[in-house]
Amino acid sequence: MACLNPWEPVQPTAAGLVLSKCLAAGVVTQEMLDLSAKQAPCFVHLTEVEKIADIRAEINQKSLEAEIMGLEKETADIAHPYFLTQKCHALQVMNKHLEAVLKEKRTLRQRLMKPLCQENFPIEAIFHRYVAELLTLAVAFIEKLESHLQTIKSIPQIPLTMKNMDNALAKINLLVTETEELAEQILRWRELQKGIHYDNSEITNESDSSFRSLVPP
C-alpha cells in the first residue's frame, strides 16, 4: 500500500461517502451514526476489508513487477540495449571486413588460383631451428605415410582378420593335442618294442646255452 502524503487532505473511504450521502439526505442522523458506531462494529470490518484489498492489490503489483524483472533477466542477451549494442558493433566490424574482401575479390581470386610450389617463404632466424626439426619430422612422416595408409585401409578388415586368427589358433591347439597324443603313443610303442627285444634276447641266450650243452666238446 502506497505511503500517504501528510500534506494532502485525507481522502474519505467508500463507507464514509455512503454515510455522508445518507446523512445529507436525512435518512440517518448524526446521533444514529454515533450510536451505531458504538454498538455495531460493521464499519470497522469494512475498513479492514478495504485494507486487505489494498494489500492484495499491492502484492499483485509486486508479483507482476517480479515477473517482469525475471522476464527481462531471461531475455537480457536479446533485448537489453547493452548486448544489442555489442552485437550491432560485431555486425558492423564483420560488414566492414566483408566489404574489404569484396573490394579485393579479384586479387584474392588470383592469389588462390596461383600455385604455391617453388616459392620461398621468409622465415625469421629465431625459427630456423624449429623449421629444421619440423622438416625432419615431415620426412619421417612421409617415409611412413604408405604404411600408415595401408594400416588405415586395413582397419575395416580387422574383424575378419581376428576371426581368421581365432580359427587358426583353434586349429593349432587341436594339432598340439593330436601331436601330444601321437608322442605318447610313440613312447608306449617304444617301451613295448624294448620289452619284446629284451624277451627275444633272453630266449636267444637260453637257446644258445641249451645248444652248447648238447654239442660235445
Side-chain angles (χ1 to χ4, degrees), residues 11-65:
Q11 298 293 331
T13 62
L17 292 174
V18 172
L19 292 175
S20 62
K21 289 182 180 181
C22 293
L23 185 61
V27 177
V28 293
T29 61
Q30 187 66 38
E31 291 78 7
M32 294 174 62
L33 291 177
D34 294 338
L35 183 61
S36 64
K38 294 179 181 178
Q39 292 179 355
C42 61
F43 299 108
V44 177
H45 293 307
L46 288 174
T47 305
E48 291 179 355
V49 169
E50 289 181 355
K51 290 182 180 178
I52 292 173
D54 293 338
I55 292 173
R56 288 180 178 175
E58 185 178 1
I59 291 173
N60 293 333
Q61 181 66 26
K62 296 298 182 182
S63 300
L64 182 60
E65 292 178 357

Side-chain angles (χ1 to χ4, degrees), residues 200-215:
N200 292 332
S201 298
E202 291 292 332
I203 293 171
T204 303
N205 292 330
E206 290 178 358
S207 299
D208 292 340
S209 300
S210 300
F211 181 75
R212 288 175 182 175
S213 63
L214 294 175
V215 175

Side-chain angles (χ1 to χ4, degrees), residues 181-193:
E181 293 178 354
L182 182 61
E184 291 178 357
Q185 293 178 2
I186 292 172
L187 291 175
R188 288 197 297 269
W189 179 81
R190 182 178 294 178
E191 293 295 333
L192 182 61
Q193 292 296 324

Side-chain angles (χ1 to χ4, degrees), residues 68-137:
I68 293 174
M69 291 178 64
L71 185 61
E72 289 180 353
K73 183 178 180 181
E74 292 178 357
T75 60
D77 57 341
I78 300 175
H80 198 277
Y82 175 75
F83 296 102
L84 289 177
T85 303
Q86 288 186 342
K87 292 181 179 180
C88 183
H89 178 68
L91 288 175
Q92 289 177 354
V93 173
M94 186 180 296
N95 189 22
K96 291 180 180 179
H97 178 69
L98 292 176
E99 288 179 354
V101 171
L102 291 175
K103 289 180 180 179
E104 302 294 334
K105 180 175 66 175
R106 180 175 298 178
T107 305
L108 291 174
R109 183 179 297 175
Q110 292 177 355
R111 288 179 59 184
L112 292 173
M113 293 175 63
K114 184 179 180 181
L116 297 177
C117 61
Q118 297 180 355
E119 290 189 2
N120 296 324
F121 295 97
I123 300 175
E124 297 182 6
I126 57 175
F127 299 117
H128 286 180
R129 178 169 61 89
Y130 303 106
V131 172
E133 295 177 358
L134 180 62
L135 290 176
T136 304
L137 295 175

